[in-house]
Each structure stands twice: as C-alpha cells, then as structure tokens.
Amino acid sequence: MLETVGMTDYDVVVIGSGVGGYTAAIRASQLGLKTACVEGNSVLGGTCLNNGCIPSKSLLHATGLFDFARTKFAEFGIRVSPKFDLSIMMSQKQASVDALGRSIEDLFDKNGVDRIEGWARLNCSGRISVRRAEQTKVTLSARHVVIATGSIPSSLPGVVVDQNRIVDSTGALALREPPRRLLIIGAGCIGLELGSVWRRLGSDVEVVEAHDRIIPGADEEISRALRGILEKQNLRFRLLTMALDALAGEDEVVVRVRNLADGTIRSLKADVVLSAVGRQPFVGDLGLEAIGLSLDKQGFIPTEPFATAVPGIWAVGDVTRGPMLAHKAEDEAIACIELLAGRPGRMDYDVIPNVIYTSPEVAWVGETEAEVRTSGRGYRVGRFPFSANSRARLAHESEGFVKVISSREDYRILGVHMIGPQASEIIGEACVAMAFQADGEDVARTCHPHPTRSEALRQAAMGAEGWMTQA
Ligand code: NAI
C-alpha cells in the first residue's frame, strides 16, 4: 500500500520534463497559471538531455575536434599527434548534461514551477496520483494536464538490446571502448551520428539499411552526397539490406540480413551492434485507459491541435504524431499552453527543420525536390557549392552545397536543403525566411556578412532567381 502524503490543486500539471514538458511548464507559469511538472527520473530533461541530443552532440563535438586535429591540422601548418582519452570524453559529456539539467531546475525555480518527483498516473476522477520512490503517493488535481512523456527506441523482434553487445542509442553513448567492428542497423540520424562518433575513434563501421538510400527522408541529392562523403570517411553501407535478427555470443554478435534486391540471406559479424531503427511513443503506466483515452494504431496519442479526446487532457511532443524532434516538442508545448490559456497558440508544421550532425552537417527545412515535383507545382532550384564560398574554402571545409527550391508560381521558398559546414546554424535563417513566407528574392537581396558560410544560402537563393554572382 502506498501512503498518501498530500494533495495539491494546480491549473496545469505537466507530465514529463523533456523539452516538451519543461517548456510547457515554464510557459504555463509565465502566463500566471499555477503549474507543476511531474518527472519519474531523478534528473530533469528527458531523452534529449540525458540520452539523446545533448550527449550525442557532445561526443560528436569532441570526436570531431579529434578527427579534425588528426586529419586537417597539418594542412594549416600545425603539427600534432593527437590521442584521445575516452574516459575524459565521457566525463566532460556528463558534466555538460549535469550542468544543463541544473539549469532546468533553476528555470523551474525562477518561474515558480513546482517539480514533483515520481511517476504520474491519471485516474477517472480527474486526479493525478504520483508514485514516489519512497513508497509514498501524492495526489494532484489540475484543470489541465499536459502529457509530454516522449518516446523510447523502437526495437526489432529478433534484435534484443542488452546494452552490452547489442546496444541502442543510450548504450552507444556509453561504450567503454571503441568496438573493433561496429555494425549499425538503420542509416537514419542516430545510425549516422553515432557511427561517425565511433568511426572517428577507430571503429570499423558498417551500416545496414533497408531502403535504397541513407536518410530516406532527406532530399535525394543530399542523401546521395552524404553517402559519398561518409564513404570517403570509411563508413561502409549495405543498402536494400534488412536486418532480420541478431545473436549475441561471448565474443561477437552475428546478424542475419536479407538482401532485398535478390532475397539472399547472409550473416554479418560484429563486436557490437547498434540498433537504430526509429523511436516509438512512450506512455508508460499513465492509466490512459482509465480516463477513456485511446492510442492510435502506432501508439501515438491522437490530438486535435494538442487537445486529446478527453477534455482538459492535452499532449505534445514525441508522444503525438509528427517528427520526433526536440524543437517540434518545444514549439508544440508553447502553442499548447497558449491555447489552453485562451490565447491564439499556433504551430507551423511546414517549418520544422531537420539536422544531422555528421561532418559535414546536413540540414533541411520544407519540401524535398521529389515532394514538390510529385505535387505537380512548377519550381526552380538554386544550388551553390561550398567550394565557391570563401569562408568554407579558407577553413578547408569546402565539401557540400546549399539547394534552394522556390515556387515558379508565387516565388515562395518551398524547401532549403544543405550539406556543409555549420549547416545546423545556417538552416535557422532559412526557417525565419520561410516562416515569413519569403521569396527566394527576399533572401537573395538581404545583405549577408562576408566572409561567412551563410553567404552560400544567399547565393543559392540568387540561383533560384537565376542570377548567382559567385558561381
Ligand atoms: P530513423 O527513423 O531516422 O532511421 C531508422 C532507419 O532504420 C530507417 O532508415 C529505416 O529504413 C531503417 N530500418 C528500420 N528497420 C530496419 C531493418 N530491419 N534493417 C535495416 N534497416 C532498418 O530513426 P533513428 O535514426 O533511430 O532516430 C530515431 C528518432 O530520433 C528519429 O525520429 C529522429 O528524428 C530522432 N533523432 C534526431 C536527431 C537529430 O535531429 N539530429 C538525432 C538522432 C535522433
């Protein structure tokens, strides 16, 4: 029996403290609503902070520096023989995670959000009971509940993750040494980013992918270019190859794969296998059935701009449909809270950027060329190579290009796709332009600082208008 230790009334109770959850809680408090955020883990921040975006980008940054020192410093006249210390790489990663976790706690304090530690369960009387580690239970009541419980890695039936020989993204962020042979199932964001990390530290990396190309959701030209660049970095790809199962032994893992072109099955061997085949929504033991809330076929909570079928219950982020991205969750959280507070909250699903933090980075926003072509609309494409961008050239980072697709009818920018240095930073400019429904011409005629990599975007926008000046 759990001992009940208290009961508190709130305007808003947010369940989950990932990017969607903590943003919702902070915004609700800012709007004068009495708010609590319930989190079962002892640390705030959810997947993004603890097992996702932040630790992976930390390792990508550290290994990227190592790789750059190893392969590029000599080109600049700097002679070094770099060595890496994996335990320091891991501890500095954890220090960043911890510091960012504390800053969420500070933001809760500053904004007056009550943090409630424990696992929330909804019950039919509209209450939320929170089970805490010390076998006590608090009961909360709220006018509005926002579910922001996120997602967990999907798994293949025959590939059982043991976080030792067969790991998911969480395990792959904490390996104690670079595996000699790393086999990755899935050439999506996680496979390519974590494959890059371990390749830079010496692993022999092979990626199997069921589709006929890597990052199947990206523009085809970008995905082809990235594949070529990653192959030069010694990542190996087996496309049209479906992983069937994996058997972990004492010393190695055997993965059976089917070649989807000819149907043949073969076995591949590796020291460690990373399963990176997507993520699925996570609702845990929330008690949704008790309140009459059903999930859709894929396990998402259906929402009609953030409102579920049960009055007063809202949902945002990975637990709802759409791309499983931290920034999508963040924007939904703000729009959801503004709506429930009676304000005109809105979310622009056409302007959600994607980034893959490989080297060089890939970033895009809006429609791919194939999507525009299929829709039958007339369009123009401007392409500008980073080899013609002065800042990229002087930094010896001239691989890649920017591609701007604009409408022939109303000149609006329909999509921006790039592969190149700092693409993750440049894409924000394309997002602002598209959010303001800019034409290619608007970006082309906006003064950009020189020499910067962002000029490549301007040039590609000029290209879509037919008057590129630097290539
Ligand atoms: P993903 O959906 O991006 O890629 C999974 C890949 O696995 C797909 O290409 C799929 O065709 C392939 N696949 C599935 N089953 C397979 C099988 N049996 N054999 C061979 N290939 C198979 O999923 P990923 O990379 O696991 O990422 C999960 C989520 O996390 C994504 O929704 C992504 O948006 C998010 N994420 C975002 C990042 C970023 O924004 N930089 C970084 C990491 C993750």
Side-chain angles (χ1 to χ4, degrees), residues 34-116:
K34 184 170 160 53
T35 305
C37 181
V38 185
E39 171 58 63
N41 283 319
S42 54
V43 283
L44 299 175
T47 300
C48 168
L49 178 58
N50 294 291
N51 314 306
C53 320
I54 302 301
S56 61
K57 274 33 140 194
S58 168
L59 287 185
L60 279 157
H61 184 74
T63 57
L65 290 175
F66 170 66
D67 206 44
F68 200 80
R70 202 173 56 80
T71 60
K72 290 274 193 176
F73 268 19
E75 293 176 15
F76 293 92
I78 305 168
R79 297 203 190 284
V80 288
S81 306
K83 292 191 179 58
F84 67 86
D85 182 329
L86 188 57
S87 66
I88 296 178
M89 274 187 188
M90 292 294 180
S91 57
Q92 65 80 35
K93 171 196 77 170
Q94 197 53 45
S96 298
V97 169
D98 294 344
L100 288 164
R102 282 193 299 275
S103 67
I104 302 175
E105 288 173 25
D106 293 345
L107 285 168
F108 276 8
D109 287 347
K110 186 175 145 201
N111 288 282
V113 174
D114 287 348
R115 172 190 178 180
I116 315 265

Side-chain angles (χ1 to χ4, degrees), residues 129-278:
S129 58
V130 182
R131 207 164 22 89
R132 302 205 292 194
E134 66 274 24
Q135 294 301 302
T136 57
K137 187 175 85 171
V138 260
T139 302
L140 314 174
S141 73
R143 283 196 296 131
H144 301 280
V145 173
V146 179
I147 302 173
T149 45
S151 61
I152 51 171
S154 300
S155 55
L156 298 170
V159 181
V160 180
V161 169
D162 59 14
Q163 302 297 24
N164 178 33
R165 290 235 171 250
I166 304 180
V167 297
D168 60 16
S169 50
T170 303
L173 288 166
L175 296 177
R176 283 196 208 94
E177 57 184 42
R180 192 168 62 80
R181 296 164 301 173
L182 174 64
L183 181 79
I184 299 176
I185 307 174
C189 330
I190 293 181
L192 300 185
E193 290 184 358
L194 292 176
S196 294
V197 163
W198 294 109
R199 195 278 308 161
R200 292 168 189 169
L201 299 182
S203 296
D204 174 53
V205 179
E206 181 167 27
V207 187
V208 297
E209 166 57 52
H211 270 84
D212 59 357
R213 61 193 180 96
I214 68 171
I215 32 168
D219 187 272
E220 281 181 45
E221 223 177 310
I222 296 283
S223 122
R224 225 177 11 252
L226 181 64
R227 179 182 164 195
I229 291 171
L230 292 180
E231 280 175 344
K232 276 200 268 162
Q233 295 173 9
N234 289 329
L235 261 82
R236 285 177 293 118
F237 295 101
R238 277 179 196 271
L239 303 181
L240 283 174
T241 303
M242 167 90 81
L244 301 175
D245 50 31
L247 188 66
E250 267 296 289
D251 305 320
E252 62 181 13
V253 192
V254 179
V255 180
R256 282 193 323 138
V257 298
R258 173 180 288 127
N259 180 322
L260 297 177
D262 61 17
T264 53
I265 292 180
R266 60 179 298 176
S267 295
L268 305 175
K269 291 178 179 170
D271 299 292
V272 172
V273 169
L274 163 60
S275 169
V277 294

Side-chain angles (χ1 to χ4, degrees), residues 275-349:
S275 169
V277 294
R279 296 182 63 86
Q280 62 190 68
F282 174 72
V283 290
D285 188 23
L286 265 185
L288 297 184
E289 58 302 327
I291 59 163
L293 187 55
S294 321
L295 304 178
D296 70 14
K297 280 199 187 110
Q298 277 79 38
F300 292 98
I301 298 180
T303 50
E304 198 51 54
F306 324 120
T308 70
V310 178
I313 309 281
W314 308 72
V316 298
D318 287 9
V319 79
T320 64
R321 284 205 166 270
M324 289 186 170
L325 296 169
H327 42 276
K328 176 256 192 186
E330 178 181 2
D331 286 22
E332 285 188 340
I334 293 168
C336 169
I337 294 298
E338 291 180 349
L339 273 181
L340 69 77
R343 295 181 172 223
R346 102 173 238 291
M347 169 89 194
D348 186 350
Y349 287 98

